[in-house]
Structures are given as C-alpha cells and as structure tokens.
C-alpha cells in the first residue's frame, strides 16, 4: 500500500477523520473564544473592548451556525444525524456535544444577541419596509415593548445569560477536547489536559479572530480603529496565549519525560510527518512568533502604525497556528499505527465531499453569514453608543 | 404586575423553547424505533436481524450427514480435524440443493502448498515441504490421498 | 469417489430437518437459542497457526467483506533476539493470500490472527453517539447498520484496529463473531475454515465447553491487557512483543 511506512493494522491505512474534522474544533473554538471576549465587557466590565462586544457576539453566532456542517458532511449517513438528539448515548462525548451545542446556540448566543438587539429590532421593524420589515417583525416575537423598564430587565437578564454563557462556552469547547482526550486507545489524544488545552487555544483563536475581523471591518468601512480597544484585546490575547502555550508545553514535556510505550512512535512522527505542521507552523510561526511580537508591544512603546501592523500580523499567524494545532491533533492522531510500528499518510482530496474545496468553503461560509448578520443587525460602535445611552 | 408586563417578551422567547421542546418530543416518540432500549441503549430488533443473515459455510456436521464415506476415510488420517470446507470452500448452496449445485473441482497443486509449503515462519512440528524438491512437479495426489494423506506405500497410519 | 451416486442422493431426512432450521435463519426458527445462556469468546492458539489465510478468505466469503478491509486478518511477527520490543510485522492484504517465504535467520517467527476481541467493556460501544453499536446479552459486539451514522468515532476508539467504514454502505462494519452462525449452532466461518484448529469458538457460559479445561492448563493472554477492555479473545502462546 502506498503511503505506509512500517506496519499498520490493515484497517488503519485509510484515515477516517478528514480535514473537515479539523475544521470542526477550529470553528467551535473560534465561537467559544469570541464569546469569552464579548463576556469581558459584559461581566468583567472591561470598558475598552466595548466596540467589539456586538461584533464578537455576531462572529460567535455565525461560526456556531457553521460548526456542525463539517461534522454533518463527514457522516456516512447525514440523514440519520437527528438520532443524536432522539437517542443520545449518555456515555458518548459526541452525543452530549449535540445537546451542549443546542443549549449554547439557543439559550446563550441567540438569546443574548436578541436581548441586546431587541431595542434596535423593534425600532427597525417600525422604520423599515417590505421584506426586511417582516424579518424584523418576526424577530420581535410580536412584542414591541421597549419601555425603560423592559430594557432594564433585558440588561439584567442579559448579564445573567452571559454569566451562564461563560461556563457554557467552556463546556462547549471542553467537550470538543474531551471527544479526543477521552480516547484511551489513542495515546496522541488520550490526556486529561486535552479539554483544558482546547479551551485556552479556543480563547486564543477567538480573541485573535475578533481582533482581526474588527480591524479589517473598521478599515473597510473607512473608520478609525479604536486603539485603546485593540491594545486591550492584544493584551488579553498575549496573556491567554501564554497560558495556552504553557499548557501545551506541559503536555509535551510530560510526554517526553514519561516516555511511555507510545513515545518512540509519536516522537518519530513529530520529527517526520508532522514536522512542518507541528514544529514549524504550530509552535514556531503560529505560537512563538506571535508571542514575541505581542510581547514586544507589551514592553516597548511602539507607534500606533507599528502596533496595528503587529496586531494584524500576529493575529493572522495565531489563527494559522491554532488551525495547525487542530490539524496536528486530528490528523496526527491517525497517522501512526496503534501497534506503534508504522505510519500512514493523509492525502487530502480536492473536490470530494471531504475535500479541500469544501473545507475552504466551510471556512469562508461563517464570514458570509457574518456579513448578512452585520447587515441585519449593525454592530458598529457609533450605533451602539446611542443604544447604550438609551438603555442606561 | 407591570414587571410581568415588561418581561412579557421574555415569556414569548421561553414559549418558543417550550413549543420547540413539545414538537421535538412528539417527533421523538414517533421516530425512535419501538424496540430501542429493549436490552440496552440500542435497537433490540437489530440482534434478530443480524442473526437472520444467511450462511455460506454449511459446517462439517452438515457435510458429514451425507458424505459418510469420506468421513470414514478421514477420521483415522492426519486430516481428521480439517473441516471439509477448509479445502472445498463454502458450500451451503450445495447443501441446500445437492442435485444442481456441485462443488468445484479442486487444484491440489495450489491447495496443498497453501498449508504445506516450507517457510521458517511456521510452527516447527507442522509438516512442510518445498514442492519442487519434494515431488519434482508431480501432482500431490499421485502419492497422497488428500482425505488421509499419509502415503499408502509407507504404511498408512 | 462415487460422484453419480452422490448427485442422486437426496439429503437424509434427519439431516434435512437439521439443515432446514439453519437455512430458515430467523430467530423464531432457532427457538432453542437463548441469549442469556451464552457468553461467547474465542480461543486462538498461536502455536498452531500456519499463516495459510484460510480464515481471512472464509470471513470475506461468509460476510461479504469488501476488498482491502478486514474483519479478521493475520499478522506475521519476526522478533530478533537483539530487539525484542521492535518486531518486524507484515500482513500483506491481511494475509488473505498467505505470506512470502521466510528464511531462518536467528530470530523467531510466528503468526497472530486478529479479529474483534468482543470486549465486555468495549471502548467502541462506549463512544457511539446513538447506540448503533452494542454488546449483546450473549457477549458479541454488533453494529446496527440501519442506525449507524458513519461518524467513525468507534473506529477511533478501538485499540485493536478492528473496525472500518464500509466503502459502499458508508456505515461502520466489523467482525460479528459470525453472530448469524453461532446463534444457529454453527461455529464461525474462520473457525470452520481453520485447518489446524488454531481458532476455536468458545462459550464461557457452557460448562461443557473445552475452553474451561484449556484455560486451566495453559497460560493465556488477551491483546493489550493494559487497555482493560475486557477482551474475550484469548491467545495461547502470545509473545510479549505482540501489539
């Protein structure tokens, strides 16, 4: 068989989890991270990041809507996927993920966005005409009550929802980590640190994602980037990244030191098949370079333009690095034989159901959804300021 | 009272949830297979369906009910423990309809060496020969009766 | 060999009755089978395996296993004295057409037939999100192919590499321990076809099963015992280098 070195169990030669399963934790991570950034403003009263609050929520929603698609496309029988809700197996992390996902989508994100935008929605449903009026009217759920008192109630309930949302976001992505971390058959995955590493890398990617999207959209709209805001986001990104990197290194050092039966096999894999994606992309370009750059902005007083460039560059590298991390977990975990005697190769196809084009499409789709959401529910700070004033 | 009035929209949202849950529960009751959970968290009828698949190998007990003559040859020979279909292949169809389905003729040149070709990897006590050296190309059945392969000339055991 | 006589022979009445119950196949027609009275397992005697590949071919015939995928396969180990922990293992096409000739070179050779270990604490059924794979009350790990999503989570969770996604059906497929045979009083296809008796189907709940005597007098082991899967395929003469 081509692409096999050494010995694989014969059924292991073909990989069963493709690039789509790489996308799934990546996208889910962006959701969790974006939400946690939004909650900074709401729960922890970090005023500086307020301009990104609504954008972060909408980003989280658009990515969350796409999150199950790669899973769905990957299934042999997508039409049977409702079984996961009808007869969820209580011992399966994947089944429980379905419920956590629904909870997070409906009870946290949609609800919070609805509460936050309710005043706008009601006003828009009165101002607009035709189709859009209909859409807004449906979104009001037939209640046009925007009295001071009702908005005050929304504010309080929204706060509670965000408070509930933070552990929910942790749960959502922790579960994704648990899906991998709980597989005792696979030493590359099996680790209690996996959910924790997934949560922190999710925060890193989500914060970087919102930062990049905020800077890009502000630039595209010809507005001025709020430097106090991006400076604060970059600071949070830096510190979260340090925690994330420490956890990943802890996992790595632990593996190297323990050197259990799987170590020789995994070590060889990291130095051969995963060298580029793990050492170069994930750790080098995707982690150390952004960390150094972001660290530089923390210790040195750099001019605004330099900071902007560093933030966009470091943000983009971070997003690539976290993607590489997901790749190394999902694909890396299937490249070695569970006999520890050989390695196989993953060949990504181009046009199939699980190919490169679909993967790229699924990565861009959330941005398309975000564009629609932004049109429907403008998140921009200038609109937000008036809304905030009215709500207070 | 006015708290409830001003929170009315929240009840509408909650109402949507309740409605969705009722719809979900109704569909669930309809969709989930009846035998699900009969023995555990799976469709109980699946066991019967899997058990009902048809067989291809008839099993030596079935062969021996008719082929008693072969059994008599086999039972004292070296191949006594080798089941019929190990060499003759799956023959449930023949057992179903012995008149019209006849077993294929076997090629001993292929069949015998499959087990008896010499290789260092086989257990040492297992009889192994290198076909070219052993028989110089003669068919195995020239000297060995496959159902009781010890050589007649050497004194069948 | 009296072919003509045999061709005219109609099945003896007693045999015909026995065979009919096997043919009909539905659970109703094997009324004597009670799941609660069995606990299936298999015994594999490595010292008897000659690597002929009969079991792999028989399994493919019996269960329509697609080419390139395996419900059972045979591995050939070559362990040198110097490097016990790093054996050289091959399994060309699962051993379906046998193995290339091996030359004496100091090390030891042996064959290891593999199949689903029918684990009692199976990690694969644990992770199935919908309950499409399960351990039956009589100890077989089965897949409900009309219910399986094809998510392949169980494929990842099996430590032994015994599961695959069926390329046409797009659902998971694996060894059923010939559940359709053992519930009708037959042995599995691999055991039926094994010429040396290296594979023996065993019923741990049957006090008369020869496995009990065998287990008392031999040192047997399961694969990857550290995985604590409750594996029920027992190996006699299993070398420590086998993974």
């Amino acid at each position: 068989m081509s692409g096999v070195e050494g010995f694989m169990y014969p059924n292991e030669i073909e990989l069963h989890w493709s690039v789509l399963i790489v996308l799934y934790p990546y996208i889910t991570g962006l959701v969790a991270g974006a939400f946690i950034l939004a909650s900074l403003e709401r729960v922890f009263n970090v005023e500086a990041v307020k301009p990104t609050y609504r954008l972060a929520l909408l980003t989280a929603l658009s990515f969350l809507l796409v999150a199950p698609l790669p899973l769905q496309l990957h299934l042999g029988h997508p039409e049977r996927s409702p079984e996961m809700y009808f007869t969820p197996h209580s011992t399966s992390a994947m089944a429980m993920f379905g419920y956590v996902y629904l909870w997070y989508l409906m009870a946290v994100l949609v609800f919070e966005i609805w509460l936050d935008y309710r005043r706008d929605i009601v006003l828009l449903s009165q101002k607009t005409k035709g189709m859009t009026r209909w859409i807004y009217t449906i979104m009001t759920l037939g209640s046009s009550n925007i009295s001071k008192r009702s908005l005050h109630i929304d504010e309080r309930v929204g706060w509670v929802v965000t408070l509930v949302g933070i552990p929910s976001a942790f749960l959502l992505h922790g579960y994704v980590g648990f899906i991998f971390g709980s597989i005792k058959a696979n030493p590359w995955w099996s680790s209690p640190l996996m959910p924790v590493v997934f949560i922190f890398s999710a925060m890193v990617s989500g914060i970087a994602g919102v930062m990049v999207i905020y800077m890009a959209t502000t630039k595209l709209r010809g507005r001025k980037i709020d430097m106090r805001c991006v400076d604060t986001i970059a600071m949070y990104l830096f510190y979260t990244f340090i925690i994330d990197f420490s956890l990943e290194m802890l996992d790595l050092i632990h593996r190297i030191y323990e050197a259990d039966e799987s170590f020789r096999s995994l070590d060889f894999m990291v130095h051969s098949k995963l060298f580029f994606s793990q050492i170069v992309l994930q750790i080098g370009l995707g982690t150390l370079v952004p960390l150094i750059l972001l660290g530089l902005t923390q210790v040195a007083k750099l001019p605004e333009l330099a900071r902007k460039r560093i933030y966009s560059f470091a943000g983009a590298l971070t997003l690539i690095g976290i993607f590489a991390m997901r790749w190394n977990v999902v694909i890396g975990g299937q490249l070695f034989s569970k006999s520890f005697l050989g390695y196989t190769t993953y060949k990504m196809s181009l046009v199939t159901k699980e190919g490169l084009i679909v993967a790229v499409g699924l990565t861009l789709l959330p941005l398309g959804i975000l564009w629609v959401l932004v049109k429907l529910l403008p998140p921009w700070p200038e609109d937000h300021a008036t809304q905030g004033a009215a709500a207070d | 009272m006015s708290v409830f009035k001003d929170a009315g929209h929240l009840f509408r949202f909650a109402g949507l949830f309740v409605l969705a849950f009722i719809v979900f529960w109704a569909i669930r009751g309809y969709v989930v297979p009846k035998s699900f959970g009969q023995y555990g968290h799976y469709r109980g009828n699946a066991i019967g369906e899997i058990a009902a698949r048809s067989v291809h190998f008839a099993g030596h007990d079935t062969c021996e009910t008719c082929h008693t003559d072969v059994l008599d040859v086999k039972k004292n020979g070296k191949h006594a423990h080798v089941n019929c279909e190990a060499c003759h292949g799956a023959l449930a169809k023949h057992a179903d309809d012995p008149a019209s389905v006849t077993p294929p003729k076997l090629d001993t040149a292929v069949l015998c060496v499959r087990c008896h070709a010499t290789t260092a990897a086989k257990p040492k006590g297992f009889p192994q020969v290198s076909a070219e050296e052993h028989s110089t190309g003669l068919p195995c059945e020239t000297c060995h009766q496959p159902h009781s392969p010890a050589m007649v000339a050497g004194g069948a055991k | 060999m009296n072919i003509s006589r045999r061709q005219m022979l109609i099945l003896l009445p007693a045999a015909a009755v026995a065979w009919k119950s096997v043919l009909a196949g539905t659970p109703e027609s094997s009324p004597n089978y009670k799941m609660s009275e069995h606990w299936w397992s298999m015994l594999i005697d490595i010292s008897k395996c000659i690597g002929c590949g009969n079991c792999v071919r028989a399994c493919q015939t019996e269960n329509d296993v697609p080419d390139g995928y395996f419900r059972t396969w045979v591995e050939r180990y070559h362990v040198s004295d110097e490097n016990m922990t790093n054996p050289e293992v091959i399994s060309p096409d699962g051993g379906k057409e046998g193995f290339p000739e091996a030359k004496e070179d100091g090390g030891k050779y042996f064959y290891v037939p593999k199949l689903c270990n029918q684990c009692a604490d199976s990690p694969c059924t644990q992770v199935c999100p919908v309950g499409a794979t399960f351990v039956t009350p009589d100890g077989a790990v089965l897949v409900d192919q009309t219910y399986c999503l094809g998510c392949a989570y169980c494929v990842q969770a099996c430590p032994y590499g015994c599961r695959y996604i069926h390329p046409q059906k797009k659902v998971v497929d694996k060894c059923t321990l010939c559940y359709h045979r053992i519930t009708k009083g037959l042995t599995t296809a691999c055991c039926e076809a094994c010429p040396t008796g290296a594979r023996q189907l065993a019923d741990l709940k049957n006090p008369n099963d020869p496995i009990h005597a065998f287990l008392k007098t031999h040192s047997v082991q399961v694969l990857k015992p550290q995985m604590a899967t409750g594996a029920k395929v027992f190996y006699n003469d299993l070398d420590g280098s086998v993974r």
Side-chain angles (χ1 to χ4, degrees), chain A residues 54 116-129 132-133 136-137 139-140 143-147 151 376-377 383 386-388 390-391:
Chain A
R54 285 182 154 190
D116 196 64
Y117 273 99
R118 215 174 58 79
R119 180 179 168 274
D120 299 24
I121 292 171
V122 170
L123 292 179
L124 284 165
S125 75
Q126 288 156 3
K127 265 194 290 185
T128 50
K129 290 197 165 51
T132 34
R133 189 191 184 105
Y136 287 122
T137 309
M139 281 159 72
T140 62
S143 163
S144 55
N145 183 357
I146 46 169
S147 67
L151 291 179
L376 207 59
L377 303 168
D383 310 325
T386 55
Q387 194 268 343

Side-chain angles (χ1 to χ4, degrees), chain A residues 7 9-11 14 16-17 74-77 80 83 87 89 91-92 95 179 184-185 261 334 338-339 341, chain C residues 69-70 75 125-130 145-151 153 156-158 161 169 224 226-227 243:
Chain A
F7 172 71
Y9 296 135
N11 294 328
E14 182 186 315
H16 291 97
W17 281 359
H74 149 82
L75 289 181
H77 284 268
R80 293 179 188 169
E83 289 169 5
T87 57
H89 195 194
T91 61
S92 169
I179 284 177
K184 68 177 166 187
E261 57 165 357
Q334 301 171 83
K338 286 172 187 157
S339 68
L341 294 170
Chain C
Y69 300 88
F70 302 90
E75 296 166 5
T125 62
Q126 183 186 29
V127 301
C128 177
V130 298
Q145 295 193 327
T146 65
Y147 211 68
C148 173
L149 306 173
C151 73
Y153 198 12
Q156 308 289 0
C158 173
K169 295 180 188 167
K224 299 192 183 182
Q226 75 275 16
M227 286 289 159
R243 270 111 173 231

